[in-house]
Amino acid sequence: MTDSALGKPNGTAIAFFFVFIVATLAITGWAARRTKTTSEFFTAGSKVTGFQNGLALAGDFMSAASFLGIAGLVASSGFDGLIYSVGWLVGWPVVTFLVAEPLRNLGKYTFADVVAYRMRQTPVRIASAVGGLTVVSFYLIAQMVGAGSLVTLLFGLPYEVAVVVVGIVMLVYVLFGGMIATTWVQIVKAILLLGGASALAVIVLAKFEMSPLRLFAAAAEKYGPEVLAPGKLVSKPLDTVSLGLALMFGTSGLPHILMRFYTVPNARAARSSVLYATGFIGLFYLITFILGFGAAVLVGRDPIKAIDKGGNMAAPLLAEVVGGTAFLGFISAVAFATILAVVAGLTLSGAAALSHDLWGHVVKRGKADEREQLAVARVATVLLAVLAIGLGIVFKGQNVAFMVGLAFAIAASANFPALLLSMIWRRFTTMGAVASMATGTLSAIALIALSPTIQVDILGHASAPFPLKNPAIVTMTLAFVVGIVVSLVRPEPDAEKKFASVARRMHLGPE
Amino acid sequence: MREERLSESSERESLLAELAARRWRVAIALTAAMMGTYFGFLLLVAYGKPVAGALVAPGLSWGILLGALVIVVAWVVTGIYVVWANSRYDAKLDELRSAVRGDGR
């Protein structure tokens, strides 16, 4: 496998890539003509169907990190990859039960709409915008650095060129086509990714009499029975549980995911969209598991590691072995499309926090007119695209894999507790919400900085002051406790009085 | 007349409150079921490595089987909720909504 076409400019990859870009830009042009108001820009006018939104949610969530990263992890260590796959899926039922419908009924563009509904606007909007933008920034860094290295590996483009290309294409989608274009890019990407990964899995399984068990048995024969058993990933049980909490509740605090529930017409459609998303995403992770084992058996661990130490090229290499250069090109183009769709969703949700929460509600005190808000949203989009490109270049060559875990930990600690308490607890107050969100954001960042991930793995110290790699078990608990205690110490009768209207609208919807 | 309307509307409020409490009970019970399943799996994997690595069939360990089952459980609990909400919960909401409209508000 030393003669892989990977990393050399690949004709098919470039052809597929251009087809994708041309098609998505055509969609953007079509969407741009339908994007005239702020609500069309941020929520596609709430005209997306439940099924479409289910696909778009899947497209927003299935990142290149989970496609290439999990396949690589399974290829190199077998069973352990499944722990991540399962963790990334179990957040979705939680989204369905706890946040999707109330969010749709109470809010307009951002999750801050829900938290701030019965509170004093300025402090809550600032705190949730900070929490939301922090999550978006860390997620963006991980995606942009991933995009740069991936495109370099796949197409042989220089890193900086790759980052700038991703940033500019994404900017065009969001700036001109807003949520309508972003939604369709995510739908197209979800179909390509699910279709491409399924096709690859079927071709692989065909070599094993269509039986995953025969494939797993072949892997166990080649690398020993430990590939089917838990390995290094779970050496510290408490760490595993803490990571599990971050994954399970972090999804309910990811601004770009929450924002998608405003694109459907009502709570019922929001509900059905999460059901579809859960189905697609679960299927995708089962397929990824098969691809990882397929790569271990058919490509081999050493050739995979020879190309990329992290093992991220397992799936593309598998495509080349079973389907030749053309299939490699297709899967590479799909991986690139995957990054574009996720980055577009992130940027749009960041722009909503900046223009709707900070400009509209804090600077203009809720009195910004439609034209102005749309203009500010577009300026914010450009700023975020420049920021994304800048961060991508600044963090070149850094180990940023932990940043996705960090984004989930902050989302689970900063955004989720305040969001949940604002919906279910009558006595939750402005100061309680602000204190909870501030505590969640700051404690998550501080404990990650003191964790073995930064102190040992990156800075090379012998030990770390904080023992856990993922802080969610501490920081999420802390955010709940602080939110509750502060609310009890200083009650806010106004917010309590307005709870009846929250409860009413949360279920009956805006009338 | 006015009083009658008032008592009707307060009856509706209490019906809504009851329905709301019911939805949260279902939502929290299903969240707890999902948490129990997932953390049960994690703890088995963390503390019961020999069990998780033992084979059920050639090529299939308990860990892989249970991990795949957690994904199936996630589908099932989400499905249960959606079926419940689409039939029972939405029907009750529609009743409440039409009562509000019938009131001429």
Side-chain angles (χ1 to χ4, degrees):
Chain A
M1 270 304 302
T2 41
D3 56 344
S4 167
L6 208 62
K8 298 171 196 126
N10 169 336
T12 349
I14 292 166
F16 278 121
F17 171 70
F18 273 105
V19 170
F20 178 80
I21 296 289
V22 168
T24 49
L25 289 180
I27 290 173
T28 306
W30 167 84
R33 290 193 293 278
R34 280 159 187 75
T35 306
K36 302 227 157 52
T37 65
T38 313
S39 107
E40 282 158 352
F41 185 78
F42 281 135
T43 69
S46 299
K47 285 180 192 145
V48 177
T49 67
F51 180 73
Q52 289 166 348
N53 194 42
L55 271 173
L57 279 166
D60 210 359
F61 191 71
M62 298 181 298
S63 60
S66 53
F67 175 48
L68 302 175
I70 290 185
L73 186 58
V74 173
S76 63
S77 57
F79 175 82
D80 282 2
L82 190 62
I83 300 173
Y84 271 100
S85 305
V86 169
W88 269 322
L89 182 69
V90 292
W92 284 91
V94 177
V95 172
T96 319
F97 307 147
L98 300 181
V99 300
E101 295 169 54
L103 195 80
R104 176 64 193 86
N105 279 337
L106 285 169
K108 201 171 167 198
Y109 302 145
T110 62
F111 76 94
D113 292 338
V114 179
V115 185
Y117 195 88
R118 60 196 165 103
M119 315 280 185
R120 280 183 282 126
Q121 294 292 321
T122 305
V124 176
R125 295 276 175 184
I126 293 176
S128 18
V130 170
L133 287 168
T134 312
V135 173
V136 166
S137 307
F138 282 113
Y139 220 109
L140 264 180
I141 295 175
Q143 296 295 326
M144 292 304 283
V145 173
S149 357
L150 182 72
V151 175
T152 306
L153 265 175
L154 293 174
F155 301 97
L157 277 177
Y159 178 92
E160 285 80 4
V161 175
V163 167
V164 171
V165 168
V166 169
I168 289 176
V169 175
M170 171 277 283
L171 176 64
V172 171
Y173 294 156
V174 179
L175 187 64
F176 299 108
M179 183 54 103
I180 302 177
T182 302
T183 301
W184 283 100
V185 169
Q186 287 169 345
I187 291 175
V188 168
K189 164 265 175 98
I191 293 172
L192 284 176
L193 184 56
L194 283 165
S198 309
L200 186 51
V202 168
I203 297 173
V204 168
L205 286 177
K207 297 186 189 299
F208 297 90
E209 298 164 35
M210 296 314 282
S211 155
L213 298 194
R214 283 189 191 274
L215 167 63
F216 300 161
E221 204 173 292
K222 194 167 176 183
Y223 297 103
E226 49 296 356
V227 296
L228 306 179
K232 280 183 298 193
L233 193 69
V234 287
S235 47
K236 285 193 195 153
L238 195 61
D239 235 341
T240 312
V241 170
S242 193
L243 173 69
L245 275 176
L247 295 180
M248 189 160 195
F249 295 104
T251 310
S252 301
L254 294 176
H256 62 299
I257 295 296
L258 297 178
M259 188 178 184
R260 290 226 51 91
F261 292 112
Y262 298 128
T263 65
V264 293
N266 52 44
R268 193 181 165 107
R271 181 193 300 150
S272 69
S273 64
V274 231
L275 179 65
Y276 291 122
T278 310
F280 292 133
I281 294 168
L283 186 67
F284 170 72
Y285 284 135
L286 290 175
I287 292 171
T288 327
F289 194 61
I290 289 173
L291 296 185
F293 272 102
V297 175
L298 298 175
V299 183
R301 282 179 179 174
D302 294 334
I304 295 172
K305 287 216 175 100
I307 298 245
D308 172 53
K309 265 185 287 172
N312 286 324
M313 290 301 120
L317 284 171
L318 179 64
E320 186 175 25
V321 167
V322 300
T325 315
F327 205 22
L328 167 70
F330 176 68
I331 291 290
S332 305
V334 167
F336 194 43
T338 288
I339 296 174
L340 279 173
V342 175
V343 174
L346 284 166
T347 302
L348 194 55
S349 71
L354 286 171
S355 83
H356 177 63
D357 294 332
L358 290 183
W359 178 264
H361 282 276
V362 176
V363 178
K364 289 293 192 154
R365 310 262 159 198
K367 292 195 184 76
D369 73 48
E370 185 77 9
R371 278 178 86 98
E372 186 184 296
Q373 217 182 25
L374 187 56
V376 173
R378 290 198 153 123
V379 172
T381 304
V382 175
L383 289 178
L384 283 162
V386 172
L387 179 76
I389 293 172
L391 289 172
I393 291 173
V394 167
F395 282 88
K396 177 185 179 180
Q398 301 289 312
N399 176 1
V400 291
F402 73 95
M403 284 191 182
V404 172
L406 175 58
F408 271 83
I410 301 174
S413 317
N415 305 342
F416 172 69
L419 183 60
L420 185 68
L421 287 173
S422 71
M423 297 188 300
I424 63 171
W425 192 37
R426 184 181 297 275
R427 294 162 73 185
F428 198 41
T429 65
T430 303
M431 289 330 285
V434 171
S436 170
M437 290 189 279
T439 307
T441 311
L442 296 176
S443 64
I445 293 177
L447 290 185
I448 290 250
L450 298 174
S451 75
T453 317
I454 300 272
Q455 297 290 327
V456 179
D457 298 351
I458 292 178
L459 297 178
H461 296 164
S463 67
F466 181 71
L468 298 176
K469 286 190 169 174
N470 194 298
I473 196 167
V474 176
T475 54
M476 193 174 121
T477 316
L478 207 58
F480 271 113
V481 170
V482 167
I484 291 170
V485 169
V486 170
S487 301
L488 289 176
V489 170
R490 285 187 60 189
E492 188 176 341
D494 270 357
E496 205 173 325
K497 240 179 272 161
K498 286 188 212 148
F499 185 74
S501 89
V502 168
R504 193 185 166 77
R505 180 162 164 170
M506 184 159 60
H507 295 88
L508 289 173
E511 278 168 78
Chain B
M1 188 64 199
R2 198 187 149 90
E3 246 169 50
E4 200 175 284
R5 189 173 282 186
L6 263 180
S7 79
E8 256 177 36
S9 95
S10 79
E11 195 182 316
R12 272 201 304 274
E13 288 301 324
S14 73
L15 278 178
L16 179 65
E18 200 181 295
L19 187 60
R22 207 187 149 95
R23 197 200 86 93
W24 281 116
R25 273 202 304 277
V26 171
I28 287 167
L30 289 172
T31 304
M34 191 69 246
M35 274 184 86
T37 310
Y38 175 52
F39 286 103
F41 168 72
L42 278 187
L43 291 176
L44 171 81
V45 164
Y47 287 105
K49 282 190 192 181
V51 182
L55 293 187
V56 186
L60 184 66
S61 64
W62 278 104
I64 293 180
L65 178 65
L66 294 174
L69 278 178
V70 176
I71 292 182
V72 173
V73 168
W75 285 335
V76 170
V77 288
T78 311
I80 290 174
Y81 173 76
V82 170
V83 168
W84 172 80
N86 279 353
S87 52
R88 306 277 186 84
Y89 171 70
D90 274 0
K92 288 264 167 64
L93 276 184
D94 285 343
E95 273 172 36
L96 277 171
R97 276 199 199 99
S98 58
V100 170
R101 287 206 194 93
D103 206 29
R105 280 208 292 177

